[in-house]
Amino acid sequence: MRPEIVFLLLIPVVLALWAIATVNRFVRLREHMRESWSDIDVELKRRYDLIPNLVETVKGYASHEREVLERVVELRNRAAASQGTASSQGRDESALMGGLKQIFALAEAYPPLKADGQFRELQRQLAITEDRIAAARRFYNGNARTLNVLRESIPTNIIAGLMKVQPATFFEMDDDLERVVPRVGI
């Protein structure tokens, strides 16, 4: 067989193999996105479980601050019920972190609360959870970035269009609210 004919026959084979490999990359990235969002979800649920205990502890010392405590519970419930995109979840989480900031401000105003062992332990657990959320968020956002780059790059954008791959949204929070949970010193 002539080399030109072999070359012409190899072109569709190479293109088919490339298309299959690209589809598999998109499938793998989608699964990474699901896994990384699941990691965030686990840590967010852990945070949601800690918040009512924190609120109850603060109630014992600052019962007249009922409005702040009710607002935090409301924000926690809204964030826990959020089922939207990563960006809408980020907005709900930012609002919740703003509410937690108010609780920690209350602790500054009530030295006995700040010294309470249960409050300090809850604060420590919340700080650990926030670190885990930040790590999971970095992992998710890295996967989102990779998917978006692959989706927009030439020639993989052709396969993305055929697969109807949607752009991934990032899980972002307001910068000033990311560091709400103070570190607990010994």
Side-chain angles (χ1 to χ4, degrees), residues 13 42 72 81 91 100 111 114 131 155 161 171 184:
V13 171
V42 165
V72 169
R91 283 189 298 276
L100 284 175
K114 192 175 174 182
D131 289 343
F171 182 45
V184 180

Side-chain angles (χ1 to χ4, degrees), residues 137-155:
R137 202 172 86 221
R138 283 191 301 274
F139 181 55
Y140 173 83
N141 286 341
N143 286 326
R145 180 193 63 244
T146 302
L147 180 72
N148 289 341
V149 167
L150 188 62
R151 180 184 175 276
E152 296 296 322
S153 297
I154 298 173

Side-chain angles (χ1 to χ4, degrees), residues 3 37 59 66 115 125:
W37 185 256
K59 267 186 190 176
R66 200 173 114 214
Q125 289 296 319

Side-chain angles (χ1 to χ4, degrees), residues 50-62 69 99-127 180-185:
L50 288 169
I51 290 172
N53 296 331
L54 190 66
V55 167
E56 286 302 313
T57 302
V58 173
K59 267 186 190 176
Y61 289 90
L69 300 174
L100 284 175
K101 193 174 192 176
Q102 291 177 313
I103 285 198
F104 293 123
L106 285 178
E108 294 298 321
Y110 295 91
L113 171 61
K114 192 175 174 182
D116 182 81
Q118 182 178 1
F119 180 79
R120 289 173 52 88
E121 177 58 21
L122 288 168
Q123 195 176 23
R124 188 182 74 73
Q125 289 296 319
L126 204 49
V180 167
V181 181
R183 300 292 170 224
V184 180

Side-chain angles (χ1 to χ4, degrees), residues 37 41 45 48 77-89 92:
W37 185 256
D41 196 44
K45 286 177 182 167
Y48 302 149
N77 292 340
R78 185 174 63 189
S82 182
Q83 298 295 315
T85 64
S87 59
S88 69
Q89 182 79 44
D92 289 340

Side-chain angles (χ1 to χ4, degrees), residues 1-12:
M1 203 182 290
R2 294 182 19 191
E4 301 86 28
I5 294 173
V6 172
F7 180 73
L8 289 175
L9 292 174
L10 281 178
I11 289 175

